[in-house]
Amino acid sequence: MLGHLWQHTLPRVSLNTLWLLLGVGVGTVLLGTALAALVALTDFPGRRVFRWALVLPLALPGYVFAVAFIGLFDYSGAFATLLREHGLMLPEIRSRGGVIAVMTLALFPYVYLVASDAFASQGARALEAARALGMSPQRAFLRAALPLARPFIAGGVLLVLMETLADFGTVAAFNYDTFTSAIYSAWFAMFSTDTALQIAAVMLLAVIALVLLEAHSRRRQSFVQLGAVSAARLPLGRWRWAATALCALVFALAFALPVARLGWIAAAHLHELDARYVEFVWNGVLLSAMAAALTVAAALVLALAAREQPGLLSTLALRIGTVGYGLPGALLAIGLYVPVTRASGWLLDRLQIDMALTGGLGLLLIAYGVRFTAVAHAPVSAALLRVRDSHLEAAQLLGVTGLRRLQQVHWPLLRGGLATAALLVFVDVMKEMPITLMMRPFGWNTLATRVFELTNEGEWRRAALPALSIVAVGLIPVLLLTRRARDAA
């Protein structure tokens, strides 16, 4: 079994996963950074609308996005059929290029959000200062604004790569074999947990490599505040309509078309909308809010420890705390549930101590924390770069210490990053399916588990209604994220 794994399975899934990471990473960096720079640094028709509209794709789970996109652009899909009737042939969507394109469109908001925050808060002033020194707009962007935003962009790309590495629903829809699909095949088709764990061990090495790469890129980086006054945006002249067209095209492909298709299908099943959906929404919102609060608190503790007490212990804790995002949800659920259940049973049998960790919300929230600490850590650690030593020294000279220093120095500089982190975790937990499905208390159903139940029964069209409900509920925190980006600007 192990020989077959190393000779046939691992080389194929490793190459596929490498191409997927490379394609999605490059695609999201180019698309997310370019759109963020346009919206934050320049002026063109529709900029105010696209500033928040381009964040909306965050509300779509990857598996829902993939199904909607394949339905539109597959050979028998509505859009492909319409184009074929006019003599136009689309490239095969179920291909490596297709899955890379779809995941790029689904995940670019992670880079766009943090990059636009960075450009809005410091890039415009840096751009203005560089132009005052005689640089052209292009050279000023490449030499001044982009380097200052690089730590933020690196954090966004790390989230994208980990999300890509852990994704199962999207690659399964495209029949594209990666580490996660190989783990699921080994587990559920071959019934070999040992093989699944061996593949997961290789995958874990890839996650650790990503975390170390991101940490190395941030080494010796520091944040410089360039004044509190907003700088004037750069006029694009004759290129202003091209910027509008680019933003409109991305918004249509990444949000409007998939949601329109879901709405079209869901309209035929509106009679199924009943009181159960209120319970599904409430359960999901409650879980997401609790998970966001606990995860952001954990991420803040890890980031502060790494900054205030640098050393092997804090670095190791940070690395361990942020590798969970790259692990498949099902594997993480099993990895937590089995040892905790056995330990709880041993304590109850031998010492009559009931930890009450299994079967409740506690272990589920711990699993969310392990999975999404990296999501919260990226914006929190980036915001922590704003707290410079000179700020703390000035506060010390003025006699501001302890809780007053946290309130008057740390909080104003960190609250934006904390809010972004909480909203990102909230959205991710709302969309999360495997962990919720396997670890939720009995009878505790959410919209995501409803989507799974219907798709597992082959009721794909009926699944459009709960899927569209996830998008509707997820839009609220996403709109709050756009409001935060506007405040930063």
Side-chain angles (χ1 to χ4, degrees), residues 287-369:
L287 275 179
S288 302
M290 290 190 293
L294 294 174
T295 305
V296 171
L300 180 60
V301 170
L302 288 174
L304 280 173
R307 176 192 168 98
E308 302 297 334
Q309 300 292 332
L312 179 61
L313 186 60
S314 59
T315 302
L316 188 61
L318 181 60
R319 299 293 169 256
I320 293 174
T322 53
V323 297
Y325 195 57
L327 299 178
L331 188 65
L332 191 58
I334 292 292
L336 279 173
Y337 187 81
V338 172
V340 169
T341 301
R342 291 177 179 174
S344 297
W346 186 86
L347 288 172
L348 186 60
D349 293 340
R350 300 294 181 87
L351 305 175
Q352 285 72 51
I353 298 176
D354 187 3
M355 298 293 290
L357 282 177
T358 57
L361 290 179
L363 193 58
L364 179 59
L365 292 174
I366 292 174
Y368 286 146

Side-chain angles (χ1 to χ4, degrees), residues 147-152 215-223 385:
L148 285 174
R150 195 170 69 85
F152 297 82
H216 179 74
S217 71
R218 287 194 184 202
R219 197 166 58 180
R220 298 181 182 177
Q221 292 286 329
S222 61
F223 183 92
L385 293 174

Side-chain angles (χ1 to χ4, degrees), residues 258-281:
V259 170
R261 176 169 173 76
L262 285 176
W264 178 266
I265 299 174
H269 300 277
L270 282 179
H271 61 278
E272 298 178 8
L273 198 61
D274 52 27
R276 293 175 303 163
Y277 277 80
V278 177
E279 181 184 348
F280 297 155
V281 172

Side-chain angles (χ1 to χ4, degrees), residues 351-413:
L351 305 175
Q352 285 72 51
I353 298 176
D354 187 3
M355 298 293 290
L357 282 177
T358 57
L361 290 179
L363 193 58
L364 179 59
L365 292 174
I366 292 174
Y368 286 146
V370 174
R371 177 81 169 86
F372 296 117
T373 295
V375 176
H377 177 263
V380 168
S381 61
L384 204 57
L385 293 174
R386 300 170 189 266
V387 185
R388 291 183 292 159
D389 291 340
S390 58
H391 292 143
L392 303 180
E393 291 167 1
Q396 186 74 25
L397 288 174
L398 293 172
V400 179
T401 59
L403 290 177
R404 283 185 61 205
R405 191 172 75 172
L406 284 176
Q407 182 183 8
Q408 298 180 12
V409 179
H410 286 84
W411 174 247
L413 296 172

Side-chain angles (χ1 to χ4, degrees), residues 103-319:
M103 293 194 72
T104 297
L105 287 171
L107 298 175
F108 84 88
Y110 285 100
V111 178
Y112 167 79
L113 195 62
V114 293
S116 60
D117 192 9
F119 286 136
S121 60
Q122 56 179 325
R125 296 290 297 171
L127 200 63
E128 191 176 72
R131 293 203 65 194
L133 295 174
M135 293 185 184
S136 66
Q138 295 82 2
R139 185 175 173 83
F141 174 75
L142 294 175
R143 296 293 300 273
L146 190 59
L148 285 174
R150 195 170 69 85
F152 297 82
I153 296 172
V157 174
L158 177 67
L159 295 181
V160 167
L161 295 181
M162 286 191 167
E163 187 75 35
T164 304
L165 199 58
D167 178 85
F168 174 71
T170 311
V171 295
F174 280 86
N175 291 323
Y176 187 80
D177 290 334
T178 62
F179 279 122
T180 53
S181 59
I183 290 171
Y184 275 76
S185 297
W187 201 317
F188 294 106
M190 301 166 64
F191 301 104
S192 173
T193 54
D194 290 340
T195 303
L197 290 174
Q198 289 162 3
I199 300 173
V202 178
M203 187 176 169
L204 183 61
L205 293 178
V207 176
I208 293 173
L210 286 176
V211 173
L212 293 177
L213 182 65
E214 189 270 346
H216 179 74
S217 71
R218 287 194 184 202
R219 197 166 58 180
R220 298 181 182 177
Q221 292 286 329
S222 61
F223 183 92
V224 179
Q225 186 71 37
L226 295 176
V229 180
S230 299
R233 290 187 175 82
L234 188 69
L236 290 178
R238 60 179 179 174
W239 292 103
R240 63 188 184 280
W241 290 109
T244 303
L246 174 63
C247 293
L249 178 63
V250 173
F251 175 73
L253 290 174
F255 186 78
L257 282 177
V259 170
R261 176 169 173 76
L262 285 176
W264 178 266
I265 299 174
H269 300 277
L270 282 179
H271 61 278
E272 298 178 8
L273 198 61
D274 52 27
R276 293 175 303 163
Y277 277 80
V278 177
E279 181 184 348
F280 297 155
V281 172
W282 170 250
N283 289 344
V285 169
L286 187 61
L287 275 179
S288 302
M290 290 190 293
L294 294 174
T295 305
V296 171
L300 180 60
V301 170
L302 288 174
L304 280 173
R307 176 192 168 98
E308 302 297 334
Q309 300 292 332
L312 179 61
L313 186 60
S314 59
T315 302
L316 188 61
L318 181 60
R319 299 293 169 256

